[in-house]
């Protein structure tokens, strides 16, 4: 299996006679869509700068506020990177990698590696070949311990570091199929860039400026890992994992304008899987059909997490 381009989005099930009319419709990125995404990048830059300013203040309360804001922005950045993976942010394809690579650095997410595995996830969702990039397997038996391990998935950071070392010595290999040589070179290069960023942070610490990497990267990263997990968790958990029908194997959450902005439309996940190359800002217009035809649709994240607690809470006498 050689992976060079995104797979075609799954079509609605043939058994649905009176089915969706716009949910699976493709759409190209327009100039207006591009402006929306650039606006999101500008907001990310402003809020990240504000977080950095607070984190470097001497007051403990400001430091905590800054670290939390940076953690939120690093999580948000990966959701913006996700749109770049699908080439649905810009009208031309080339800017997606230029923008997507730095968006993933704070959370140690290598853009092209994420892109390859994530597009396989779209192709194989509902089958044993599913390869979602972030390793929480929604097909396994759900337990509280499993959720805690996913929430505190700091071992992933070590795995990324190991991949950086393997890339540096020419031994990096893709574990989920064959790659085109050009794609492999991209992934290796991006691992080396990430390694360079880490070495720069270590260099700052060794020269007596450890407060900068500690407050601006290490501490926010430790918070961002569980925060990102909570954003990603509702996508397919407690859905039908043995079907390729996106109306049954994926969840959408209507959410608020704030949650839709923060997750960059990740809450509208049925809409995204139905037409993955559609610009994210166009997805809310498709939500009415999702509510009519989707099997797993919640109004808020709180509603989803109540369902999750009911599924995993200890039972008396169990």
């Amino acid at each position: 299996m050689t992976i060079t381009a995104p797979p075609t989005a799954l079509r609605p099930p043939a058994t649905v006679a009176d089915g969706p009319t716009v949910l699976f419709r493709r759409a190209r990125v327009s100039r207006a869509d591009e402006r929306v995404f650039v606006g999101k990048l500008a907001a990310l830059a402003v809020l990240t700068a504000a977080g950095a300013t607070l984190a470097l203040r001497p007051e403990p309360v400001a430091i905590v506020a800054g670290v939390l804001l940076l953690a939120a922005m690093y999580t948000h950045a990966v959701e913006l990177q996700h749109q770049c993976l699908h080439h649905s942010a810009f009208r031309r394809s080339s800017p997606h990698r230029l923008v997507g690579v730095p968006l993933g650095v704070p959370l140690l997410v290598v853009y092209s590696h994420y892109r390859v595995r994530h597009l396989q996830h779209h192709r194989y969702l509902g089958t044993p070949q599913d390869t979602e990039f972030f390793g929480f397997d929604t097909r396994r038996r759900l337990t509280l311990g499993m959720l805690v391990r996913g929430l505190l998935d700091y071992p992933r950071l070590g795995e990324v570091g190991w991949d950086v070392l393997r890339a540096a010595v020419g031994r990096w290999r893709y574990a989920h199929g064959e790659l085109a040589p050009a794609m492999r070179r991209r992934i290796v290069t991006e691992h080396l860039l990430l390694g360079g960023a880490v070495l720069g942070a270590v260099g700052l610490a060794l020269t007596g400026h450890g407060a900068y990497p500690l407050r601006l990267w290490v501490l926010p990263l430790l918070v961002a890992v569980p925060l990102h997990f909570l954003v990603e968790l509702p996508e397919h958990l407690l859905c039908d994992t043995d079907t390729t029908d996106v109306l049954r194997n994926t969840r959408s959450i209507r959410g608020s304008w704030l949650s839709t902005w923060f997750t960059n439309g990740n809450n509208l996940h049925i809409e995204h899987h139905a037409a993955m190359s559609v610009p994210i800002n166009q997805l809310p217009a498709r939500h009415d059909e999702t509510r009519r035809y989707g099997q797993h649709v919640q109004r808020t994240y709180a509603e989803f997490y109540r369902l999750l607690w009911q599924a995993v809470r200890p039972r008396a006498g169990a």
Side-chain angles (χ1 to χ4, degrees):
M1 175 179 59
T2 299
I3 301 162
T4 56
T8 302
L10 292 174
R11 293 302 184 195
T15 55
V16 178
D18 179 25
T21 59
V22 299
L23 185 59
F24 292 84
R25 186 177 298 167
R26 297 183 183 184
R28 298 175 66 87
V29 180
S30 69
R31 188 183 299 272
D33 297 324
E34 194 172 68
R35 284 198 297 266
V36 169
F37 189 78
V38 170
K40 292 177 181 179
L41 293 176
L44 171 68
V46 170
L47 291 170
T48 300
T53 301
L54 287 170
L56 294 175
R57 295 283 300 173
E59 302 87 0
V61 173
I63 294 171
V64 171
V67 166
L68 293 178
L69 181 53
L70 286 174
M73 289 305 99
Y74 295 166
T75 302
H76 179 57
V78 172
E79 299 308 317
L80 295 176
Q81 183 191 51
H82 168 250
Q83 186 169 351
C84 290
L85 301 180
H86 289 283
H87 287 190
S88 62
F90 302 99
R91 287 171 293 163
R92 295 184 297 111
S93 62
S94 55
H96 290 98
R97 185 183 181 217
L98 292 174
V99 173
V101 169
L103 285 173
V105 168
L107 210 55
L108 275 62
V109 179
V110 176
Y111 171 81
S112 292
H113 190 201
Y114 184 13
R115 173 171 161 80
V116 169
R117 284 192 61 176
H118 186 69
L119 294 180
Q120 285 183 261
H121 163 66
H122 274 263
R123 181 185 292 274
Y124 295 117
L125 178 62
T127 75
Q129 289 76 41
D130 187 3
T131 57
E132 177 59 297
F133 188 75
F134 297 98
F136 187 83
D137 190 347
T138 58
R139 296 165 295 187
R140 294 173 55 193
R141 181 176 176 269
L142 184 62
T143 66
L144 189 58
M146 180 182 176
L147 288 171
V148 171
R149 286 191 295 273
L151 186 72
L152 305 177
D153 189 20
Y154 298 112
R156 183 191 72 83
L157 306 181
E159 292 169 5
V160 175
W162 181 241
D163 279 346
V164 168
L165 290 175
R166 290 195 298 170
V169 298
R171 299 185 63 182
W172 185 87
R173 296 291 182 272
Y174 185 59
H176 301 280
E178 297 292 330
L179 284 180
M183 180 59 74
R184 184 183 183 280
R185 286 194 296 271
R186 284 187 173 195
I187 294 173
V188 168
T189 298
E190 291 166 24
H191 274 95
L192 295 179
L193 289 173
L194 178 59
V198 172
L199 287 177
V202 172
L204 276 175
L206 293 177
T207 56
H209 299 89
Y212 290 97
L214 178 65
R215 297 188 193 182
L216 299 180
W217 196 358
V218 176
L219 293 178
L221 177 60
L222 294 178
V223 178
V225 167
L227 183 57
H228 180 259
F229 173 79
L230 294 174
V231 169
E232 298 273 318
L233 188 63
E235 296 175 351
H236 307 288
L237 192 66
L238 303 178
C239 297
D240 301 342
T241 59
D242 296 324
T243 176
T244 57
D245 178 1
V246 298
L247 297 173
R248 295 168 54 201
N249 64 20
T250 305
R251 167 177 287 97
S252 278
I253 299 173
R254 185 190 312 177
S256 63
W257 70 266
L258 181 61
S259 63
T260 300
W261 165 78
F262 179 64
T263 66
N264 193 36
N266 194 60
N267 54 313
L268 305 176
H269 215 63
I270 293 175
E271 294 87 335
H272 171 61
H273 269 270
M276 67 178 183
S277 297
V278 171
I280 297 295
N281 55 287
Q282 294 188 25
L283 297 183
R286 304 178 181 216
H287 188 63
D288 283 345
E289 285 198 347
T290 298
R291 291 170 59 193
R292 290 175 59 195
Y293 298 103
Q295 186 170 344
H296 303 282
V297 183
Q298 269 69 56
R299 291 172 297 175
T300 65
Y301 277 87
E303 182 179 318
F304 164 75
Y305 280 106
R306 283 195 295 270
L307 290 175
L308 178 60
W309 174 243
Q310 291 169 6
V312 300
R313 66 181 177 181
R315 307 287 183 179

